[in-house]
Amino acid sequence: MTTATATPASLDAAALRELTKDGSGPRLLDVRTPGEFHTVHIPGAYNVPLDTLREHRADLLHHLDEDVVLICRSGARAAQAEQALSEAGLPNLRVLQGGMVAWEAAGGPVTRGAARWELERQVRLVAGSIVLVSGLVGLAVPGAGLVATAVGAGLTFAAVTNTCAMGMLLAKLPYNRGPRTDINSVIAALRSRP
């Protein structure tokens, strides 16, 4: 079986809480956007957005020699990060099952910043608004409903491939970017951790 089709190793929120309760434990890499990370994250986690992680995985490889737990909102992006780091040769990777949703539901400690809508919620708003408007306009303008069909096709493709073009576009908006992740600062922090 290849890495691309293998199920990543994972652990649940309760197991991660146990591993981190004394302040030690695995390195926590949160692969969400900086905006999502600054809204809420697990204390001690490092923010390395998925696109930054893919681009700098070779640099990160030299500073992640112990166990690493990858975190995102629900587990999908963390699984993609696991695949990218595995392909680069990093062992000892696990994905937090259910991501931050499961962590917060289990009562895990979090650091909160300014509230923002989650990326998934933004996608639902934009997709739903496009479908609603194109449906209403379609009552007066023949063919306008095809826009809703295109959005439906895009959402179906996103579900089948476990990717989301609309989400990737929305993640690039200033609202979602938050403070930029400086990979050199992350590497320095990883290097300085005892």
Side-chain angles (χ1 to χ4, degrees):
M1 186 183 300
T2 65
T3 304
T5 58
T7 302
S10 63
L11 75 161
D12 62 22
L16 182 57
R17 276 186 85 172
E18 188 63 30
L19 288 172
T20 59
K21 73 179 177 183
D22 65 356
S24 64
R27 301 273 181 131
L28 306 177
L29 290 187
D30 192 318
V31 300
R32 297 174 299 150
T33 65
E36 291 174 291
F37 179 81
H38 287 285
T39 297
V40 62
H41 62 271
I42 298 172
Y46 300 90
N47 183 222
V48 184
L50 184 57
D51 57 342
T52 302
L53 180 137
R54 286 179 178 143
E55 183 180 342
H56 295 282
R57 63 185 169 182
D59 300 326
L60 291 166
L61 186 62
H62 302 294
H63 305 287
L64 297 172
D65 53 358
E66 66 274 1
D67 288 342
V68 175
V69 176
L70 300 162
I71 303 160
C72 67
R73 181 183 178 280
S74 63
R77 285 178 280 178
Q80 292 173 27
E82 188 274 340
Q83 181 179 350
L85 290 172
S86 290
E87 288 171 358
L90 187 65
N92 305 324
L93 296 167
R94 290 181 281 179
V95 171
L96 176 60
Q97 288 175 350
M100 285 301 296
V101 172
W103 180 260
E104 287 189 275
V110 295
T111 300
R112 292 198 184 278
R116 298 172 199 245
W117 278 20
E118 296 165 348
L119 206 51
E120 182 181 319
R121 184 175 181 190
Q122 293 176 51
V123 168
R124 291 191 311 254
L125 173 70
V126 171
S129 297
I130 292 171
V131 170
L132 176 64
V133 169
S134 65
L136 292 173
V137 171
L139 295 173
V141 178
L146 291 176
V147 173
T149 302
V151 170
L155 291 173
T156 302
F157 180 78
V160 170
T161 62
N162 201 24
T163 62
C164 184
M166 188 180 294
M168 289 186 277
L169 288 172
L170 289 172
K172 295 184 184 312
L173 293 175
Y175 171 82
N176 290 316
R177 284 189 299 214
R180 265 189 96 114
T181 299
D182 176 21
I183 193 65
N184 294 324
S185 297
V186 172
I187 289 172
L190 289 170
R191 191 179 304 130
S192 68
R193 180 180 167 202

